[in-house]
Amino acid sequence: MTERHMRTGVVGTGHVGLVTAVALASMGHEVVGMDSDQEKVAKLKDGQVPFFEPGLQDLLTKEMESGGLSFSSTSSEAVIGSEVVFISVATPTRSSGEANLVAVEDAAKDVAHHAEGSLVIVEKSTVPTGTAHRLRSTLRRERPDLADELEIVCNPEFLREGSALRDALEPERILIGAESERAFATMRRLYGPLVDRGCELIETDIATAELTKHASNAFLALKISFINAVARLCERAGADVDAVADGMGRDSRIGPAFLNAGLGYGGSCFPKDLAAFERLASRFGYQFPLLREVARINDEAVDACAEKVREALWNLENKRIALFGLAFKPGTDDVRFAPALTLARRLWSEGASVVGYDPVAGDNALQEFPEMEVVKDPYEAARDAHCIVLCTEWNEFAELDFERLKSELTYSIIVDGRNFFDAQRLEDLGFSYHPTGKPGF
Ligand code: UDX
């Protein structure tokens, strides 16, 4: 077994925790991942990644075989002997919009219970500013004997699903919020391999680190909603939103990223982090209505796409609509808050029958919305359909045989929810092509 630097525990092995565990093991640490979901732990012990994330399966297999990564359903194995324990459990949204931190509190109690001496406990889950204070009082209440030994660090993740491993191993910045030199020193050792490769490690206070995470996600969502609002205006003014975005993005103060107009954002982060950030702001006595507007414009993006389908098909009753792509973005099988499913529910509620195809997210989509038909092949989805809506811009859709699609379709209509297709090529093939945020054909 190769020499391992630090024994590290990761409590919560979802999209963030599992990527973190595998990345830390690949940096040379000895990592124990823990989850309360016995079924998930059984799969992980068997060397299986329970969700689709490019590259994760291979690296997990490699690190488990080298002995640097193991899994357990009991937190004692993740805590005992560890210098650092990450808390990366889910923080879903309550109906009030507040982040539900019950799992965070439970994890903290668990870790405190098994702690044997000095230990750095790391907030990896996205949590509202002020959570560290809650954590500290919980730890001290559980273990007054270790009051000065248990340290809190905030180390927010900036992973994007579909590129999570790359984001973990080549982060543009590592953000560490801590309160003691000892805690900073521990985290510098932990991330030493990445810092040696030139990664920037930013050290700040805990509240700043917690708030930076929410502010980053809120700003990225704001950028997407901004260009989607511009798309609505372009549709009315006869302008081309992609050309507008290109003109804007060449200004280095704006930058081209996250200016792709379309069906808007989904996923387990932006929708819930925006709501949590707004609730957190109002709890601190600051009203942040801009964030509500970001969410409204995002909902409006789906409405605009549904309107394009209505425009193209007239009545939706007795019409069959094929959705190409169901995941909230390419590169993942995650359908949480996926705009494609919001659209599917909308069209279905207006009487259409909806059939969906996705390279990897079909099963998850069916669990979320069983009223939809899900097929394993785009041409089967197109069969007898009155319209195709491109909802997720998977690269494989660029290689489709459009002549064959046309022969399957009842109407040769394509609504492009992500401006992914080559408009001229489809028009030359005789399709009625409806882009987003630009004059139609
Ligand atoms: C996001 C943040 O990017 C990441 O830093 C954070 O840690 C977690 O949340 P993720 O939600 O996994 O990551 O994916 P991301 O690539 O940010 O896309 C989010 C959504 O925005 C997707 O639905 C995507 O389709 C949409 N999007 C993205 C747009 O609609 N337009 C864009 O230009 C970019």
Side-chain angles (χ1 to χ4, degrees):
M1 187 172 88
T2 53
E3 183 48 42
R4 293 283 162 177
H5 300 290
M6 296 166 74
R7 186 170 165 103
T8 304
V10 176
V11 175
T13 56
H15 281 81
V16 171
L18 184 58
V19 171
T20 301
V22 172
L24 288 168
S26 75
M27 289 178 218
H29 300 306
E30 183 190 342
V31 182
V32 178
M34 179 267 165
D35 203 292
S36 53
D37 179 332
Q38 308 270 349
E39 195 182 319
K40 187 188 286 187
V41 171
K43 271 190 174 177
L44 289 168
K45 281 183 168 195
D46 199 27
Q48 289 172 41
V49 172
F51 50 82
F52 179 83
E53 181 62 51
L56 190 58
Q57 181 61 66
D58 291 346
L59 193 52
L60 174 128
T61 304
K62 175 174 173 285
E63 295 310 328
M64 288 184 78
E65 283 169 357
S66 72
L69 175 63
S70 62
F71 296 94
S72 167
S73 52
T74 59
S75 41
S76 55
E77 290 186 58
V79 177
I80 294 170
S82 292
E83 295 185 66
V84 181
V85 174
F86 283 78
I87 294 181
S88 46
V89 293
T91 55
T93 306
R94 293 179 187 281
S95 52
S96 65
E98 303 269 355
N100 181 332
L101 301 177
V102 171
V104 174
E105 181 179 0
D106 290 347
K109 286 176 180 171
D110 233 4
V111 169
H113 177 68
H114 294 292
E116 295 174 313
S118 71
L119 180 64
V120 170
I121 292 112
V122 182
E123 279 179 346
K124 194 69 177 173
S125 304
T126 302
V127 292
T129 302
T131 301
H133 293 309
R134 297 277 193 193
L135 273 176
R136 185 180 303 100
S137 52
T138 300
L139 293 170
R140 288 186 174 164
R141 192 184 309 122
E142 297 293 317
R143 294 297 299 272
D145 59 318
L146 295 178
D148 297 331
E149 303 300 311
L150 302 181
E151 303 227 43
I152 305 280
V153 162
C154 176
N155 170 219
E157 50 79 21
F158 296 99
L159 313 179
R160 290 163 297 173
E161 289 188 36
S163 59
L165 211 45
R166 191 170 66 243
D167 293 341
L169 291 171
E170 300 159 27
E172 290 180 326
R173 80 299 207 178
I174 300 168
L175 182 57
I176 305 291
E179 291 169 331
S180 76
E181 182 46 36
R182 184 175 63 171
F184 279 122
T186 301
M187 297 307 284
R188 284 183 213 125
R189 280 173 51 222
L190 189 78
Y191 283 117
L194 298 190
V195 175
D196 293 348
R197 291 181 212 155
C199 176
E200 191 182 9
L201 191 145
I202 305 170
E203 297 185 353
T204 184
D205 63 273
I206 289 178
T208 300
E210 288 172 334
L211 201 103
T212 302
K213 172 63 188 172
H214 267 124
S216 298
N217 271 6
F219 186 79
L220 290 167
L222 165 68
K223 208 173 170 187
I224 294 167
S225 280
F226 184 87
I227 201 63
N228 277 328
V230 169
R232 301 293 78 79
L233 183 51
C234 287
E235 285 158 352
R236 289 157 175 78
D240 179 329
V241 70
D242 288 346
V244 169
D246 180 53
M248 290 171 64
R250 292 177 190 265
D251 181 326
S252 60
R253 295 169 303 170
I254 298 172
F258 279 62
L259 280 181
N260 303 318
L263 268 171
Y265 60 79
S268 65
C269 293
F270 286 174
K272 79 174 178 61
D273 287 358
L274 268 176
F277 198 26
E278 202 222 333
R279 297 296 308 145
L280 147 71
S282 64
R283 264 215 328 277
F284 280 97
Y286 178 72
Q287 298 313 311
F288 204 158
L290 175 63
L291 301 179
R292 220 167 309 154
E293 189 58 8
V294 169
R296 185 195 67 75
I297 294 169
N298 195 54
D299 294 341
E300 182 187 68
V302 175
D303 296 342
C305 184
E307 183 51 33
K308 283 185 183 63
V309 174
R310 283 187 215 100
E311 274 299 300
L313 296 185
W314 191 9
N315 303 304
L316 296 189
E317 286 83 355
N318 309 316
K319 296 288 182 4
R320 184 173 171 75
I321 298 164
L323 303 187
F324 278 21
L326 301 171
F328 81 92
K329 63 180 280 195
T332 179
D333 61 354
D334 195 344
V335 295
R336 289 174 288 182
F337 295 92
L341 296 193
T342 308
L343 179 67
R345 289 189 182 95
R346 181 79 49 77
L347 299 172
W348 181 80
S349 69
E350 295 181 28
S353 73
V354 180
V355 54
Y357 164 74
D358 186 284
V360 296
D363 294 343
N364 289 341
L366 208 49
Q367 276 184 15
E368 287 274 315
F369 185 46
E371 290 79 1
M372 180 170 71
E373 184 189 348
V374 169
V375 294
K376 298 287 185 198
D377 172 296
Y379 303 101
E380 190 185 341
R383 190 165 305 133
D384 305 327
H386 296 85
C387 162
I388 289 172
V389 185
L390 188 283
C391 297
T392 312
E393 64 280 24
W394 285 97
N395 286 333
E396 72 171 61
F397 291 139
E399 313 305 322
L400 289 168
D401 173 347
F402 288 97
E403 294 282 5
R404 185 177 164 198
L405 273 184
K406 200 158 178 284
S407 69
E408 297 287 356
L409 285 162
T410 301
Y411 296 167
S412 302
I413 295 173
I414 291 184
V415 173
D416 195 342
R418 297 286 182 182
N419 288 342
F420 176 74
F421 289 126
D422 175 342
Q424 194 56 57
R425 180 181 172 208
L426 291 182
E427 205 229 349
D428 293 348
L429 285 168
F431 281 94
S432 166
Y433 175 74
H434 303 264
T436 297
K438 52 181 82 177
F441 282 79

